[in-house]
Amino acid sequence: MKQGSLKFICLIFLACIAVLSVHGQDKPLIYGTWVLESFNGNGDSIYAWKTESSRFITKTDEITFPQTKYVDAYPSQNFRKGNVEGAPRSFGINGRFDRRGYNWIDIYPVLAEDSDAKPVGIPIPGKVKSLDMWVWGSNLRYYIEVYFKDFQGVIHILKLGNINFRGWKNMSINIPTNIPQFAWVESDSVNRAHEAGIDVTEKPQVRDEPAYPSLHFIKFRLWTQPVERVDNFHVYFKQLRILTDIFEALFDGSDLADPTNIKQIWSNN
């Protein structure tokens, strides 16, 4: 009697494992790191980096702050000159404000070939789990925020952390699950119904086309605080990267889910 009960319990346990395994195969997770920007400044990136500051930034006849420059410096604990083509460099900022307070400096990407230097968002592939970057701090009580934009145009602001430390440190944040990272493409049947003038009040729960990634990195914002001096400071950045579910980014046929490609393919119909 006891052996029969034990066998029955074992069968239930194995059945549960089988169900969980099948469910897991429906939605595999393949995490990998993805470098959004190396900050080498040697032409290996399509982006250039610009700054914008709050009102009390220092301006003189000789110089206007902040100053930016690519420097021959990097966190030696994680980078070696022999591991990359050429000497790795970092993006540096030299800032100065006329008074203490909650001053800020925005660091945002533009297309390197854009003469107008208009801000652009860097598309983030896959479903991102975390973001990290190497930062050189000079033990000042400043902090950094990261700005993202979702497919609805909503801006999400996350605090990367304080930079009151000396030297290089890898700073990271987890991306909250409440930030939407995909724009769902409606099924073709629903689109055709709307084009035919048919009022479709309920959208199908299962859509014909996969989700397309649409979360973008917008900028960093460096904040000073009233308790800290702002007469002269330096901050350096190296290698902005993400940990992302690359299965979402690399699914077969992802180009057919790109809204831009869809519009171009079907523009003649």
Side-chain angles (χ1 to χ4, degrees):
M1 185 69 176
K2 291 183 179 180
Q3 291 181 351
S5 300
L6 181 60
K7 289 181 179 179
F8 180 74
I9 294 174
C10 291
L11 288 173
I12 294 177
F13 179 74
L14 292 174
C16 291
I17 292 177
V19 171
L20 291 175
S21 299
V22 172
H23 179 73
Q25 291 173 2
D26 291 339
K27 189 69 173 179
L29 298 175
I30 309 175
Y31 283 109
T33 57
W34 199 293
V35 177
L36 295 180
E37 176 61 33
S38 64
F39 293 113
N40 277 334
N42 55 7
D44 62 347
S45 174
I46 64 172
Y47 302 105
W49 293 83
K50 303 294 182 179
T51 61
E52 184 177 342
S53 308
S54 55
R55 58 181 299 187
F56 296 119
I57 195 71
T58 299
K59 298 179 181 180
T60 67
D61 295 335
E62 295 79 19
I63 189 172
T64 297
F65 289 90
Q67 295 288 297
T68 62
K69 186 178 183 180
Y70 288 98
V71 299
D72 295 327
Y74 54 93
S76 59
Q77 58 184 303
N78 199 64
F79 296 89
R80 294 181 181 178
K81 291 186 178 181
N83 292 344
V84 295
E85 184 177 351
R89 299 195 296 172
S90 302
F91 183 71
I93 294 178
N94 176 206
R96 182 179 299 178
F97 289 95
D98 293 332
R99 63 176 67 180
R100 295 187 181 189
Y102 287 107
N103 306 295
W104 52 264
I105 298 176
D106 282 348
I107 305 100
Y108 60 90
V110 300
L111 291 177
E113 298 179 352
D114 183 7
S115 58
D116 296 331
K118 296 179 181 178
V120 297
I122 300 179
I124 298 178
K127 187 174 183 181
V128 61
K129 180 178 179 62
S130 64
L131 174 145
D132 73 274
M133 180 175 63
W134 286 90
V135 180
W136 187 95
S138 52
N139 205 28
L140 298 174
R141 284 169 284 187
Y142 302 162
Y143 63 93
I144 298 175
E145 292 177 335
V146 187
Y147 285 61
F148 299 95
K149 184 172 69 174
D150 65 26
F151 69 93
Q152 296 175 316
V154 177
I155 300 296
H156 303 269
I157 306 173
L158 302 178
K159 186 175 180 180
L160 182 63
N162 301 313
I163 62 170
N164 56 334
F165 51 81
R166 295 187 183 277
W168 289 103
K169 179 179 179 181
N170 185 255
M171 304 181 68
S172 64
I173 52 171
N174 292 324
I175 307 302
T177 56
N178 63 339
I179 296 181
Q181 298 196 41
F182 291 89
W184 287 94
V185 181
E186 292 185 0
S187 67
D188 186 61
S189 59
V190 174
N191 291 334
R192 292 183 181 276
H194 284 301
E195 292 173 0
I198 302 173
D199 184 18
V200 180
T201 57
E202 294 185 3
K203 296 180 180 180
Q205 293 182 355
V206 179
R207 298 181 169 105
D208 295 338
E209 298 168 6
Y212 187 77
S214 58
L215 191 66
H216 288 72
F217 166 84
I218 300 301
K219 65 182 180 182
F220 295 110
R221 174 165 285 187
L222 175 66
W223 283 95
T224 73
Q225 299 191 66
V227 295
E228 190 58 83
R229 66 175 182 84
V230 294
D231 56 324
N232 191 42
F233 58 89
H234 299 83
V235 182
Y236 300 91
F237 303 103
K238 180 63 182 172
Q239 197 182 70
L240 170 65
R241 64 180 184 176
I242 57 171
L243 177 65
T244 184
D245 181 3
I246 58 177
F247 177 82
E248 296 283 5
L250 303 177
F251 62 85
D252 190 9
S254 59
D255 55 326
L256 295 177
D258 185 341
T260 302
N261 289 341
I262 292 173
K263 185 177 180 180
Q264 183 176 1
I265 292 171
W266 296 97
S267 60
N268 296 328
N269 285 10

